[in-house]
Amino acid sequence: MHYIRIKDRIMKQQDESIFCSIEAFEKIKSQFHDIKDGDVKRTTEVLIEAIGVVEQCIQTLGNNHSHTVELYYMIGVMYYDLKNYSQSVKWFTKGANHGDEASECELALMYQLGIGVVQDLTKAIDLYTRAAEKGNEAAMFELGMIFENAEGVKTDYARAAEWYIKLVTKGDELACIHLAWCLHMSGENKKALTWAQRNAKNNPDDNFVIYTLACIYQALGNKEKALKNFELCLKLEDQLAFLLECTQEMNFLNLKKNKRFRMT
């Protein structure tokens, strides 16, 4: 749940000026600390009380205080967990309007999925981009996925790769897997091979990683290595659609040998 992030922020917060009262702050800290996993009723009660404290702090501190934007985000998250999405949108919008990347990213997700607002993928992409340009890694990944999977836009593997490479430089292994695939799909197979080989070394049991490597070898004309990796995919994967695709690729590669692979 989102409240875990709020709990972490509150538990680590040492600057008492962010709250109107240090006593109230300590009380909220204690209550979050005592919540048991799965206790929805108690979580709801504490969230409502915490919202009251934070709203009072916002009124006291004013919009120009250095901590206010942080509070906009926190209260937006708490309202989200209470499923009061209209209020969540309200506070995330306040944060986004003040340039808070976390608020921009959360608000983008709500526009992307149509939660609490009319779905607007153009707005979502704009908000994700604003957050990503500030270095928000979650926003970078979402943009990569949007352009890779054509979520409300035309498929643009090259553009997706641009966002994934930024994450790869930060050590994001999942982004590296997507980067290899997008480079392959955009025709950059020599570049893709470097990343795909790295992925296969780090994730030898990941069927998609191996499948990507096989496809790249096939595109580069190395049928022997392509076939070897397609065969490995069949050993790793149990989804029928994926098995069919691998089998079709293998049959194509072995056509001249009059050898046909069948699923067993």
Side-chain angles (χ1 to χ4, degrees):
M1 293 179 65
H2 276 88
Y3 94 85
I4 295 176
R5 282 185 287 164
I6 295 300
K7 173 182 174 180
D8 290 341
R9 286 171 181 255
I10 290 177
M11 296 295 287
K12 294 176 182 178
Q13 183 58 250
Q14 299 299 318
D15 186 351
E16 63 186 72
S17 67
I18 197 170
F19 288 98
C20 305
S21 162
I22 190 62
E23 290 82 11
F25 168 63
E26 292 295 341
K27 181 179 180 181
I28 295 298
K29 279 178 60 177
S30 175
Q31 290 178 344
F32 268 109
H33 181 74
D34 293 337
I35 293 177
K36 296 180 180 179
D37 291 341
D39 191 342
V40 177
K41 180 180 179 180
R42 185 58 186 148
T43 298
T44 299
E45 293 172 349
V46 175
L47 283 171
I48 291 173
E49 185 171 356
I51 285 172
V53 172
V54 176
E55 286 183 326
Q56 185 179 354
C57 294
I58 290 172
Q59 292 177 1
T60 301
L61 297 174
N63 292 327
N64 296 323
H65 194 281
S66 59
H67 286 308
T68 301
V69 172
E70 176 83 358
L71 295 178
Y72 290 158
Y73 171 75
M74 290 176 68
I75 201 169
V77 169
M78 289 189 282
Y79 271 122
Y80 188 97
D81 277 339
L82 290 172
K83 295 183 171 54
N84 190 333
Y85 299 126
S86 61
Q87 283 294 313
S88 184
V89 168
K90 169 187 172 181
W91 291 101
F92 284 145
T93 299
K94 284 178 177 287
N97 288 342
H98 283 77
D100 178 54
E101 66 181 70
S103 295
E104 288 169 341
C105 192
E106 294 289 349
L107 187 60
L109 179 63
M110 298 185 80
Y111 275 105
Q112 181 183 8
L113 301 179
I115 300 175
V117 291
V118 175
Q119 188 178 41
D120 187 337
L121 295 174
T122 300
K123 181 73 171 178
I125 291 172
D126 176 64
L127 286 162
Y128 277 136
T129 302
R130 285 163 52 183
E133 289 175 346
K134 295 182 179 75
N136 188 288
E137 295 180 18
M140 292 180 193
F141 189 82
E142 288 298 331
L143 285 168
M145 292 294 287
I146 285 171
F147 290 112
E148 178 183 354
N149 298 314
E151 297 179 19
V153 296
K154 291 183 179 180
T155 302
D156 191 335
Y157 292 111
R159 196 169 177 184
E162 290 176 1
W163 288 111
Y164 289 139
I165 192 65
K166 293 178 184 293
L167 290 168
V168 170
T169 60
K170 297 174 180 291
D172 190 317
E173 290 296 327
L174 182 57
C176 192
I177 292 172
H178 285 274
L179 173 63
W181 178 254
C182 288
L183 288 172
H184 161 62
M185 293 300 291
S186 60
E188 298 283 348
N189 286 291
K190 289 184 179 180
K191 292 181 180 179
L193 181 60
T194 299
W195 299 111
Q197 289 174 328
R198 169 183 162 177
N199 292 334
K201 181 179 179 180
N202 294 335
N203 305 276
D205 297 324
D206 188 313
N207 65 286
F208 182 70
V209 166
I210 304 304
Y211 178 74
T212 298
L213 184 59
C215 289
I216 293 170
Y217 277 130
Q218 184 177 9
L220 292 172
N222 192 330
K223 294 184 178 180
E224 182 179 349
K225 289 188 176 180
L227 183 59
K228 177 182 177 180
N229 283 282
F230 280 130
E231 288 175 334
L232 179 56
C233 283
L234 290 180
K235 296 177 182 178
L236 294 174
E237 182 57 48
D238 60 359
Q239 295 180 20
L240 180 58
F242 199 86
L243 284 169
L244 284 169
E245 189 166 0
C246 286
T247 303
Q248 289 170 357
E249 297 289 355
M250 291 167 65
N251 286 334
F252 174 78
L253 289 170
N254 283 282
L255 191 59
K256 293 182 179 180
K257 299 179 182 179
N258 294 319
K259 182 180 180 182
R260 300 287 292 179
F261 285 84
R262 299 181 182 276
M263 291 184 298
T264 57

